[in-house]
Amino acid sequence: MKVALVHFCFEDYTIELANSLYELVDLTLIQPQKVAAYCRSSLDPRMRVIEFEKPRIRDPRNFAAMSALMRILRELQPDVLHVQETNDPWYDLTLFFNRMPPLVTTIHDVFRHPGDRQNIFGADYTKRIAFHRSDRAIVHAQALKQTLTQHFRVPLERVCVLPHGELGSLYRRRSTAATVEREPQTLLFFGRIWPYKGLKYLIAALPLIAAKFPAIKLIIAGKGENFEQYFPDGVDRHQIEIIDDFIPPERVAALFQRSTIAVLPYIESSQSGVATLAYGMGTLVVASAIGGLTELIESGQDGLLVPPGNVEALAAAIVRLLSDRQLQQQLQAAAFERCQQDLNWTNIATQTVEIYHQAIANKYG
């Protein structure tokens, strides 16, 4: 089976999926030149990769970029086209006006996240084209399937649910540092920092945690909002370490290795690469019981879930976990087992190939 895998973003997910798909199908990865350098060193060097120039969204040269993409597809003549959700109106309109091979689209976020300032103008409307033109859509939670089928009227049989694979293995390969010793009372808040990530609730919980563990430390690592709004009285540098920057891939593993718990106090979530990264790094997870997190994390088995926006419950869960070494080992072992089973990329790729067959049957059957 000839498969063209196209992505514009969601690079980590695409890398791991492509590496596993390469062993199962005749795969060609198609990607913009601007993400090529980020991906190149992590992809299987035997893989066929085609790059094309993709300007910024407001640039009219996107007409030429989409024409180039269509030429590539006509030359390849794949049996299946698999696209990682783009949120790019230029691609969506290209999809509308062109005949495509059997199409599979992975939809990571059905709706944009609250407060996400990186949203692209018009994408909320044009992405519906991809929803309905896809012969199969892949989402990462049953809740997202329900939204697609009920809110957007996508036929139930066209929506497939696959988990977001673990990312710890990827970042271990990327790491240039020796294994870092885990700090027993260090928490990690990692990734893009927008209102939906709920950082303010974790900061509010810190005094409650510190009452039980005075040596508690929180690492906040990532780009997003202005941090000053969270610390009007200044930052206690003994308790909080802030890395207000994009974290180079080779430094990510060390942050998770240092930390005992990755905290995800989100107030909205569709899926979480941060949680699957933590699982693969042996870092414990405390998260909000919301959206796709409730399906990814099995509370009390491989992580702990708390009500979103509940500062006291968040603090209590973290204190409980820091106080119970046996529980820590139990959750770590279960998370590791998950990484070998449903979060394993080989298993996900195998299921993805089955979805390709369904898409072909839907197109031509």
Side-chain angles (χ1 to χ4, degrees):
M1 180 189 295
K2 292 174 62 177
V3 176
L5 177 61
V6 179
H7 78 115
F8 299 78
C9 53
F10 296 102
E11 293 91 349
D12 291 347
Y13 185 96
T14 303
I15 289 167
E16 292 298 78
L17 178 62
N19 284 338
S20 292
L21 281 174
Y22 177 79
E23 303 294 338
L24 303 175
V25 299
D26 180 2
L27 181 72
T28 301
L29 177 66
I30 306 171
Q31 61 185 4
Q33 292 174 353
K34 62 184 178 181
V35 303
Y38 179 88
C39 300
R40 190 173 295 120
S41 63
S42 300
L43 290 168
D44 188 317
R46 301 170 297 169
M47 189 182 304
R48 183 189 309 116
V49 180
I50 299 176
E51 300 171 6
F52 68 100
E53 184 178 357
K54 178 65 174 69
R56 296 173 66 87
I57 289 295
R58 297 182 185 274
D59 193 325
R61 289 179 298 171
N62 276 286
F63 282 114
M66 291 298 101
S67 295
L69 176 60
M70 292 306 300
R71 282 196 302 272
I72 293 168
L73 292 175
R74 284 194 295 269
E75 292 172 3
L76 286 175
Q77 296 187 334
D79 299 308
V80 173
L81 170 62
H82 185 179
V83 179
Q84 298 301 303
E85 177 193 12
T86 67
N87 291 325
D88 188 316
W90 295 98
Y91 163 76
D92 294 331
L93 292 173
T94 300
L95 187 61
F96 185 77
F97 289 109
N98 288 272
R99 179 175 175 81
M100 310 298 280
L103 176 63
V104 175
T105 303
T106 298
I107 302 169
H108 295 266
D109 300 306
V110 176
F111 292 112
R112 64 170 172 163
H113 299 296
D116 189 341
R117 298 174 190 170
Q118 294 181 343
N119 186 60
I120 298 168
F121 177 77
D124 285 345
Y125 300 98
T126 63
K127 67 192 301 183
R128 298 166 185 247
I129 298 171
F131 293 174
H132 289 280
R133 289 296 300 273
S134 298
D135 296 285
R136 285 294 183 272
I138 296 173
V139 294
H140 300 310
Q142 290 291 338
L144 298 180
K145 177 174 182 175
Q146 184 176 6
T147 300
L148 275 179
T149 56
Q150 296 184 358
H151 186 89
F152 293 98
R153 301 291 187 260
V154 178
L156 186 69
E157 66 274 9
R158 291 192 185 182
V159 185
C160 307
V161 181
L162 292 181
H164 190 302
E166 65 90 12
L167 295 176
S169 300
L170 171 63
Y171 281 94
R172 287 183 189 275
R173 298 197 306 270
R174 285 173 164 168
S175 180
T176 56
T179 302
V180 177
E181 184 176 353
R182 202 173 297 278
E183 300 168 7
Q185 296 183 30
T186 293
L187 313 177
L188 176 63
F189 181 96
F190 179 83
R192 293 191 309 164
I193 300 169
W194 299 119
Y196 78 92
K197 291 293 189 74
L199 176 58
K200 67 178 182 179
Y201 301 107
L202 177 54
I203 293 171
L206 271 184
L208 302 178
I209 302 168
K212 297 289 186 180
F213 293 93
I216 194 71
K217 182 172 186 176
L218 169 63
I219 301 172
I220 303 173
K223 291 288 290 183
E225 297 182 292
N226 186 342
F227 281 103
E228 294 181 359
Q229 65 178 298
Y230 294 110
F231 305 102
D233 300 322
V235 179
D236 179 354
R237 298 293 178 178
H238 295 289
Q239 188 178 74
I240 298 175
E241 177 183 340
I242 295 178
I243 308 174
D244 182 13
D245 201 355
F246 170 77
I247 313 300
E250 63 272 14
R251 292 178 51 198
V252 171
L255 286 174
F256 281 83
Q257 288 172 337
R258 283 180 58 190
S259 307
T260 293
I261 304 175
V263 187
L264 288 67
Y266 301 173
I267 57 173
E268 189 272 345
S269 176
S270 48
Q271 40 73 31
S272 177
V274 175
T276 63
L277 172 53
Y279 274 19
M281 295 299 303
T283 306
L284 302 165
V285 175
V286 173
S288 298
I290 194 165
L293 289 174
T294 62
E295 298 178 41
L296 171 64
I297 298 167
E298 299 176 1
S299 191
Q301 297 184 46
D302 50 42
L304 295 180
L305 293 173
V306 300
N310 189 321
V311 172
E312 291 76 16
L314 180 62
I318 293 171
V319 167
R320 175 191 173 196
L321 203 45
L322 292 177
S323 304
D324 191 337
R325 180 58 184 159
Q326 183 176 353
L327 178 59
Q328 291 181 27
Q329 293 173 341
Q330 172 191 324
L331 300 185
Q332 284 175 326
F336 178 78
E337 181 65 21
R338 292 280 307 281
C339 291
Q340 310 307 309
Q341 300 299 326
D342 61 315
L343 304 184
N344 177 272
W345 285 104
T346 298
N347 294 338
I348 291 171
T350 300
Q351 295 175 73
T352 301
V353 172
E354 294 175 3
I355 293 170
Y356 293 162
H357 288 291
Q358 295 174 21
I360 293 171
N362 184 78
K363 187 81 171 183
Y364 304 123

